[in-house]
Amino acid sequence: MSDTVEWTPAGVDRDVPSVARIYDYLLGGSHNFAPDRAMANRLLAVQPNVADIARGNRAFLRRAVQFMAEAGVRQFLDLGSGIPTAGNVHEIAQKVLPGSRVVYVDYEGVAVAHSQLLLAENEDATIVQCDVTRPNDVLNAEETRRLIDFSQPVGLLAITIGHYLPPDCDPAGVFARYRDAIAPGSHLALTHLTDDFTSVHGDEIIETMKSTQNHVFPRTREQVLELFGDFELVEPGLVTTSGWRPDHGIAPAVEPERDGLYAGVAVKP
């Protein structure tokens, strides 16, 4: 797609790569600019498996939302939701439970603008433009309060958002605020980049991402587990993306390290 397009919201800096637009490109989307594509190609040079990591992450999201919906969760809060693509949370949840309500949260202009267009005629789904590191702003936003009843279970989605939270913003404290806000029976699903695996090339990814709007902070398995707090992990626990309840007939990756991301779903007791 041409970079001189009408879909670009006012104020979007097209010269600085954005993780939302890089992810869109890796998934085969068209809402990205030349600098985003150049950065994606730099990441591919460092980690040739990065597009597979993105697709595996998206597949985990689908399975996790379906799992939650089949468990009776009827409302979802998707932190760092990114640019809309096929198989969005509301499409998955509303297919299982019609009337399920979804609040997407992102601060990137292209992601917000296209979510607004996508959701214009869906009364049960909306987008809130907020920084997820400010939980009170997210939780108290008018549109959040319109669709989410915090006295009932919530499906909280933190898919590839934790590794964009710098240590100085207290990631554990940010996650704790969201966990505290949701009712017993709520679910938390997250994926997180790790540098536990040498094949991920975490140091090179960190350095490459420094020239984007979003720096990256991989964490160890123990650090990722801390983000769940006292929530109880469902089987198979914290694994890599392809190993979490793979679809019938599809085996987990032969080399789980190639997934690059830890993934898990936990329930609030």
Side-chain angles (χ1 to χ4, degrees):
M1 177 175 287
S2 168
D3 287 343
T4 57
V5 287
E6 296 180 357
W7 54 260
T8 310
V12 169
D13 188 344
R14 298 188 301 178
D15 295 325
V16 180
S18 151
V19 67
R21 301 193 302 264
I22 294 168
Y23 190 60
D24 174 70
Y25 174 68
L26 291 172
L27 290 173
S30 58
H31 294 103
N32 47 76
F33 307 122
D36 305 310
R37 297 189 286 273
M39 178 55 62
N41 288 327
R42 286 179 60 191
L43 286 170
L44 285 164
V46 169
Q47 171 51 272
N49 196 43
V50 71
D52 290 335
I53 290 173
R55 287 189 288 267
N57 179 70
R58 192 73 186 178
F60 166 79
L61 169 65
R62 174 181 53 77
R63 299 195 303 275
V65 171
Q66 184 169 337
F67 171 81
M68 293 181 188
E70 290 174 349
V73 175
R74 298 182 59 89
Q75 49 185 3
F76 297 82
L77 183 61
D78 186 359
L79 305 176
S81 51
I83 294 172
T85 188
N88 287 292
V89 174
H90 69 279
E91 295 171 336
I92 302 164
Q94 291 171 0
K95 182 177 181 180
V96 178
L97 288 174
S100 294
R101 302 182 301 279
V102 178
V103 174
Y104 295 101
V105 183
D106 211 299
Y107 71 87
E108 203 275 338
V110 172
V112 172
H114 286 280
S115 295
Q116 290 171 336
L117 288 172
L118 177 71
L119 303 173
E121 298 182 3
N122 191 324
E123 295 182 355
D124 292 320
T126 190
I127 177 77
V128 171
Q129 187 165 17
C130 274
D131 183 341
V132 300
T133 66
R134 301 174 63 88
N136 289 339
D137 291 352
V138 173
L139 297 168
N140 295 316
E142 182 178 351
E143 284 292 272
T144 303
R145 290 291 173 176
R146 179 176 72 85
L147 287 184
I148 303 292
D149 176 359
F150 285 99
S151 70
Q152 299 298 316
V154 173
L156 180 62
L157 304 169
I159 306 300
T160 60
I161 191 63
H163 53 247
Y164 295 112
L165 306 187
D168 61 9
C169 85
D170 183 20
V174 169
F175 272 76
R177 177 68 183 93
Y178 286 112
R179 294 196 311 267
D180 290 345
I182 54 182
S186 294
H187 292 58
L188 166 61
L190 68 81
T191 59
H192 199 297
L193 184 69
T194 183
D195 51 10
D196 283 352
F197 310 137
T198 56
S199 61
V200 173
H201 301 293
D203 290 343
E204 293 97 324
I205 291 175
I206 291 169
E207 191 62 33
T208 302
M209 291 294 289
K210 285 182 179 179
S211 57
T212 75
Q213 297 174 12
N214 313 92
H215 296 184
V216 66
F217 304 90
R219 293 186 170 90
T220 66
R221 189 175 191 277
E222 290 70 25
Q223 290 172 321
V224 175
L225 281 170
E226 290 176 3
L227 302 179
F228 288 101
D230 63 354
F231 282 30
E232 298 172 354
L233 283 160
V234 303
E235 291 295 332
L238 187 65
V239 293
T240 61
T241 47
S242 70
W244 195 89
R245 301 189 178 219
D247 291 330
H248 179 69
I250 300 177
V254 176
E255 300 177 63
E257 293 187 2
R258 291 177 60 82
D259 292 336
L261 303 166
Y262 282 125
V265 177
V267 181
K268 185 170 184 174

